[in-house]
Short mmCIF file of all heavy atoms in Angstrom, two decimals:
data_model
loop_
_atom_site.label_atom_id
_atom_site.label_comp_id
_atom_site.label_asym_id
_atom_site.label_seq_id
_atom_site.Cartn_x
_atom_site.Cartn_y
_atom_site.Cartn_z
N ASP A 377 0.84 -1.20 0.00
CA ASP A 377 0.00 0.00 0.00
C ASP A 377 0.87 1.25 0.00
O ASP A 377 1.41 1.66 1.03
CB ASP A 377 -0.91 -0.01 1.24
CG ASP A 377 -1.87 1.17 1.25
OD1 ASP A 377 -1.93 1.90 0.24
OD2 ASP A 377 -2.54 1.37 2.28
N TRP A 378 1.02 1.87 -1.18
CA TRP A 378 1.84 3.08 -1.32
C TRP A 378 1.00 4.35 -1.21
O TRP A 378 1.54 5.45 -1.34
CB TRP A 378 2.57 3.08 -2.66
CG TRP A 378 3.75 2.16 -2.72
CD1 TRP A 378 3.81 0.95 -3.33
CD2 TRP A 378 5.03 2.38 -2.13
NE1 TRP A 378 5.06 0.39 -3.17
CE2 TRP A 378 5.83 1.26 -2.44
CE3 TRP A 378 5.59 3.42 -1.38
CZ2 TRP A 378 7.16 1.14 -2.02
CZ3 TRP A 378 6.92 3.30 -0.95
CH2 TRP A 378 7.67 2.17 -1.28
N ALA A 379 -0.29 4.23 -0.98
CA ALA A 379 -1.16 5.41 -0.93
C ALA A 379 -0.85 6.24 0.31
O ALA A 379 -0.95 5.75 1.44
CB ALA A 379 -2.62 4.99 -0.93
N ILE A 380 -0.47 7.50 0.10
CA ILE A 380 -0.15 8.40 1.21
C ILE A 380 -1.40 9.21 1.56
O ILE A 380 -1.92 9.94 0.73
CB ILE A 380 1.00 9.34 0.83
CG1 ILE A 380 2.25 8.52 0.51
CG2 ILE A 380 1.28 10.33 1.96
CD1 ILE A 380 3.40 9.35 -0.02
N PRO A 381 -1.89 9.09 2.77
CA PRO A 381 -3.10 9.84 3.14
C PRO A 381 -2.80 11.33 3.24
O PRO A 381 -1.65 11.73 3.46
CB PRO A 381 -3.47 9.25 4.51
CG PRO A 381 -2.18 8.74 5.06
CD PRO A 381 -1.39 8.26 3.88
N PRO A 382 -3.81 12.17 3.09
CA PRO A 382 -3.60 13.62 3.22
C PRO A 382 -3.20 13.98 4.65
O PRO A 382 -3.55 13.29 5.61
CB PRO A 382 -4.97 14.20 2.85
CG PRO A 382 -5.95 13.10 3.08
CD PRO A 382 -5.22 11.83 2.79
N THR A 383 -2.45 15.06 4.77
CA THR A 383 -2.00 15.52 6.08
C THR A 383 -2.55 16.92 6.34
O THR A 383 -2.80 17.68 5.41
CB THR A 383 -0.47 15.57 6.15
OG1 THR A 383 0.02 16.37 5.07
CG2 THR A 383 0.13 14.18 6.04
N PRO A 384 -2.76 17.26 7.61
CA PRO A 384 -3.31 18.58 7.93
C PRO A 384 -2.30 19.69 7.66
O PRO A 384 -1.10 19.43 7.59
CB PRO A 384 -3.63 18.46 9.43
CG PRO A 384 -2.70 17.42 9.92
CD PRO A 384 -2.53 16.43 8.81
N PRO A 385 -2.77 20.91 7.53
CA PRO A 385 -1.84 22.03 7.32
C PRO A 385 -1.13 22.39 8.63
O PRO A 385 -1.51 21.94 9.72
CB PRO A 385 -2.77 23.17 6.88
CG PRO A 385 -4.09 22.83 7.50
CD PRO A 385 -4.18 21.34 7.51
N GLY A 386 -0.10 23.21 8.49
CA GLY A 386 0.57 23.74 9.66
C GLY A 386 1.54 22.77 10.31
O GLY A 386 2.00 21.79 9.72
N LEU A 387 1.85 23.07 11.57
CA LEU A 387 2.86 22.31 12.30
C LEU A 387 2.48 20.84 12.44
O LEU A 387 3.33 19.95 12.33
CB LEU A 387 3.05 22.93 13.69
CG LEU A 387 4.09 22.26 14.59
CD1 LEU A 387 5.46 22.29 13.95
CD2 LEU A 387 4.12 22.93 15.97
N ALA A 388 1.19 20.57 12.68
CA ALA A 388 0.75 19.17 12.83
C ALA A 388 1.04 18.37 11.57
O ALA A 388 1.48 17.22 11.63
CB ALA A 388 -0.73 19.13 13.17
N GLY A 389 0.79 18.98 10.41
CA GLY A 389 1.05 18.29 9.16
C GLY A 389 2.54 18.07 8.92
O GLY A 389 2.95 17.00 8.45
N ARG A 390 3.36 19.07 9.26
CA ARG A 390 4.81 18.91 9.09
C ARG A 390 5.35 17.80 9.98
O ARG A 390 6.19 17.01 9.56
CB ARG A 390 5.52 20.23 9.38
CG ARG A 390 5.33 21.29 8.30
CD ARG A 390 6.34 22.40 8.42
NE ARG A 390 6.14 23.18 9.64
CZ ARG A 390 5.34 24.24 9.73
NH1 ARG A 390 4.64 24.62 8.66
NH2 ARG A 390 5.23 24.91 10.86
N LEU A 391 4.86 17.73 11.21
CA LEU A 391 5.30 16.67 12.11
C LEU A 391 4.86 15.30 11.60
O LEU A 391 5.63 14.34 11.64
CB LEU A 391 4.72 16.92 13.51
CG LEU A 391 5.05 15.84 14.57
CD1 LEU A 391 6.56 15.76 14.77
CD2 LEU A 391 4.34 16.15 15.88
N GLU A 392 3.63 15.22 11.09
CA GLU A 392 3.13 13.95 10.58
C GLU A 392 3.94 13.49 9.37
O GLU A 392 4.24 12.31 9.22
CB GLU A 392 1.65 14.09 10.21
CG GLU A 392 0.96 12.76 9.95
CD GLU A 392 -0.54 12.90 9.81
OE1 GLU A 392 -1.10 13.85 10.40
OE2 GLU A 392 -1.14 12.06 9.11
N ARG A 393 4.31 14.45 8.51
CA ARG A 393 5.12 14.10 7.35
C ARG A 393 6.54 13.71 7.76
O ARG A 393 7.17 12.85 7.14
CB ARG A 393 5.14 15.25 6.34
CG ARG A 393 3.80 15.45 5.63
CD ARG A 393 3.91 16.46 4.50
NE ARG A 393 4.18 17.80 5.00
CZ ARG A 393 3.24 18.65 5.41
NH1 ARG A 393 1.96 18.27 5.41
NH2 ARG A 393 3.55 19.86 5.83
N PHE A 394 7.06 14.30 8.80
CA PHE A 394 8.40 13.96 9.27
C PHE A 394 8.43 12.52 9.81
O PHE A 394 9.38 11.77 9.57
CB PHE A 394 8.84 14.94 10.37
CG PHE A 394 10.19 14.64 10.94
CD1 PHE A 394 11.34 14.90 10.20
CD2 PHE A 394 10.32 14.11 12.22
CE1 PHE A 394 12.60 14.62 10.74
CE2 PHE A 394 11.56 13.83 12.75
CZ PHE A 394 12.71 14.10 12.01
N LEU A 395 7.38 12.13 10.51
CA LEU A 395 7.33 10.79 11.10
C LEU A 395 6.78 9.75 10.14
O LEU A 395 7.04 8.55 10.31
CB LEU A 395 6.45 10.82 12.37
CG LEU A 395 6.94 11.73 13.50
CD1 LEU A 395 5.94 11.75 14.63
CD2 LEU A 395 8.31 11.31 14.00
N GLY A 396 6.02 10.20 9.14
CA GLY A 396 5.39 9.29 8.19
C GLY A 396 3.88 9.34 8.29
O GLY A 396 3.33 8.90 9.31
N PRO A 397 3.19 9.89 7.29
CA PRO A 397 1.73 9.98 7.34
C PRO A 397 1.07 8.60 7.31
O PRO A 397 1.59 7.67 6.70
CB PRO A 397 1.38 10.77 6.07
CG PRO A 397 2.66 11.41 5.61
CD PRO A 397 3.75 10.50 6.06
N GLY A 398 -0.05 8.49 7.98
CA GLY A 398 -0.84 7.26 7.91
C GLY A 398 -0.39 6.16 8.85
O GLY A 398 -0.68 4.99 8.61
N LYS A 399 0.29 6.53 9.92
CA LYS A 399 0.73 5.50 10.86
C LYS A 399 -0.48 4.90 11.57
O LYS A 399 -1.37 5.62 12.02
CB LYS A 399 1.68 6.13 11.89
CG LYS A 399 2.36 5.13 12.80
CD LYS A 399 3.30 5.85 13.76
CE LYS A 399 4.37 6.60 13.00
NZ LYS A 399 5.28 7.30 13.92
N THR A 400 -0.51 3.58 11.65
CA THR A 400 -1.65 2.91 12.28
C THR A 400 -1.49 2.88 13.80
O THR A 400 -0.40 3.09 14.33
CB THR A 400 -1.78 1.47 11.77
OG1 THR A 400 -0.63 0.72 12.19
CG2 THR A 400 -1.89 1.43 10.25
N ARG A 401 -2.59 2.60 14.47
CA ARG A 401 -2.53 2.46 15.94
C ARG A 401 -1.61 1.31 16.33
O ARG A 401 -0.92 1.38 17.35
CB ARG A 401 -3.93 2.25 16.50
CG ARG A 401 -4.81 3.49 16.43
CD ARG A 401 -6.06 3.32 17.29
NE ARG A 401 -6.92 2.25 16.83
CZ ARG A 401 -7.86 2.39 15.91
NH1 ARG A 401 -8.08 3.58 15.35
NH2 ARG A 401 -8.62 1.36 15.56
N ALA A 402 -1.62 0.25 15.54
CA ALA A 402 -0.75 -0.89 15.85
C ALA A 402 0.72 -0.50 15.74
O ALA A 402 1.54 -0.87 16.59
CB ALA A 402 -1.05 -2.04 14.89
N GLU A 403 1.08 0.25 14.71
CA GLU A 403 2.46 0.72 14.57
C GLU A 403 2.84 1.62 15.74
O GLU A 403 3.95 1.50 16.30
CB GLU A 403 2.64 1.47 13.25
CG GLU A 403 2.69 0.58 12.04
CD GLU A 403 2.89 1.36 10.75
OE1 GLU A 403 2.12 2.30 10.49
OE2 GLU A 403 3.84 1.03 10.02
N SER A 404 1.95 2.51 16.11
CA SER A 404 2.23 3.40 17.24
C SER A 404 2.41 2.62 18.54
O SER A 404 3.27 2.94 19.36
CB SER A 404 1.10 4.42 17.40
OG SER A 404 1.01 5.26 16.26
#
């Protein structure tokens, strides 16, 4: 699954992109 989910704008989105968008609860 290479589909990258959308990320929110601003700092939250930058942090999510830094860590990897679409992380599952199991991965966390």
Side-chain angles (χ1 to χ4, degrees):
D377 183 8
W378 284 103
I380 299 174
T383 55
L387 181 61
R390 287 196 293 271
L391 178 61
E392 193 171 333
R393 289 188 293 275
F394 179 73
L395 299 176
K399 189 179 299 180
T400 65
R401 289 193 296 273
E403 285 181 306
S404 297

